[in-house]
Amino acid sequence: MLDRLDPLVIGECVADIVRLPGTADRVHPGGSPANVALGLARLGHDTTLLTQLGPDDNGRLIRDHLTGASVEVRTDGAAAATPSAAVTLDAVGRAAYTFEITWTLGPVALDRTPRHVHIGSVATVMEPGAATVLGAVESLRASATVSYDPNVRPELMGDHGAAVRRVERCVALGDVVKASDEDLEWLYPGQDPGRVAERWLATGPALVMVTRGGDGALAVLPGARVAVDALPVEVVDTVGAGDAFMSGTLHALAAHGLLGADGRERLRATDRDTVADVLRHAVASAAVTVSRAGANPPDATELATALDRT
């Protein structure tokens, strides 16, 4: 049975302009936090996204895409152009990005208190908007669990040392943290991802996950590690794969009653079998997304079908 989260996602929307040799550009609604919001809404959660969208074609495209999936989109009314990213794909569908983005999010009054807050990506490191994001999390954390995905974009992270400190501050505020092995390699070159995850766990989170592309995923919880394999799938592209992993994770954690302020202690006491089930949902969600173009996470029926393959 679905445990509805009423989650609040705070972060950027980005128009992903996919460029392939010999073909016309394709514009896909994107942005890591927006993709997570979309994934949660498709899985049945009443999701609010606090973001910025410009009064332009890309902004209208993204808003229509999100509201069409029943995401409630809230903005601070800023009129800057909608952020964009030129996405190029290599021979196996891996994405590389070139960004045009600003992030100036100001405070926005909420009409309900969320049970869960998700943050990540550019929105947590790019000022002046990052200060708004961190302030919101600090004010809501007593009544909501928090998830965080750094979703590192090196060209937007600024000074490396300052970026690492900002990421570690967000990790310490989170209950559930996810990073890719590529994120961790940029943050801590040459260090073992599992060891980094254990170090992060000691700073506050109840669960730290590391995605490893085709090699599956690893979760670290107090006193244990859990690993699952990726599902075999024909990859179209990897755009939004990590975001679908996160929405699948949160959906499964909610189903186990492990999110919301009332679930925090249960989350901290969860066992290996439960975490393994959460990871299975996460990798199945990512597998659906990489099997089709753009950040296109599954709905509940598609996720259930993918889970039947695990």
Side-chain angles (χ1 to χ4, degrees), residues 10-226:
I10 311 176
E12 75 274 7
C13 293
V14 179
D16 289 334
I17 305 168
V18 180
R19 292 176 174 158
L20 297 172
T23 66
D25 289 353
R26 292 179 288 129
V27 181
H28 295 287
S32 176
N35 295 340
V36 174
L38 177 71
L40 287 169
R42 285 186 175 175
L43 291 170
H45 301 279
D46 296 328
T47 307
T48 300
L49 174 66
L50 176 54
T51 190
Q52 293 186 299
L53 286 170
D56 48 34
D57 288 345
N58 286 341
R60 286 185 284 273
L61 172 71
I62 294 172
R63 184 183 288 275
D64 289 347
H65 177 65
L66 292 167
T67 58
S70 299
V71 177
E72 180 183 351
V73 178
R74 303 285 300 273
T75 72
D76 64 355
T82 300
S84 64
V87 184
T88 56
L89 303 174
D90 66 15
V92 295
R94 286 190 298 260
Y97 298 83
T98 303
F99 292 92
E100 292 186 13
I101 181 170
T102 58
W103 179 245
T104 61
L105 184 72
V108 177
L110 300 173
D111 55 11
R112 61 181 178 179
T113 300
R115 292 185 57 219
H116 184 81
V117 179
H118 175 74
I119 61 170
S121 196
V122 175
T124 59
V125 296
M126 182 176 285
E127 296 293 1
T132 300
V133 176
L134 271 289
V137 170
E138 288 168 344
S139 68
L140 292 168
R141 194 174 186 281
S143 57
T145 43
V146 177
S147 56
Y148 170 59
D149 175 5
N151 190 45
V152 169
R153 296 292 181 243
E155 60 269 44
L156 299 176
M157 299 296 284
D159 175 76
H160 183 270
V164 170
R165 289 190 293 274
R166 178 59 64 91
V167 166
E168 290 176 347
R169 179 182 175 191
C170 293
V171 168
L173 287 171
D175 297 285
V176 178
V177 175
K178 168 257 169 189
S180 71
D181 50 5
E182 293 178 346
D183 292 338
L184 298 183
E185 176 60 27
W186 186 85
L187 291 165
Y188 309 104
Q191 296 188 33
D192 176 71
R195 294 289 181 86
V196 173
E198 289 176 344
R199 192 165 70 241
W200 278 6
L201 189 76
T203 69
L207 180 65
V208 178
M209 300 168 294
V210 180
T211 58
R212 304 184 292 190
D215 293 326
L218 168 72
V220 176
L221 60 159
R225 291 189 183 193
V226 180

Side-chain angles (χ1 to χ4, degrees), residues 213-238:
D215 293 326
L218 168 72
V220 176
L221 60 159
R225 291 189 183 193
V226 180
V228 298
D229 294 330
L231 294 185
V233 64
E234 184 174 343
V235 175
V236 173
D237 68 48
T238 62

Side-chain angles (χ1 to χ4, degrees), residues 293-306:
N296 191 358
D299 61 22
T301 299
E302 291 169 326
L303 179 57
T305 299

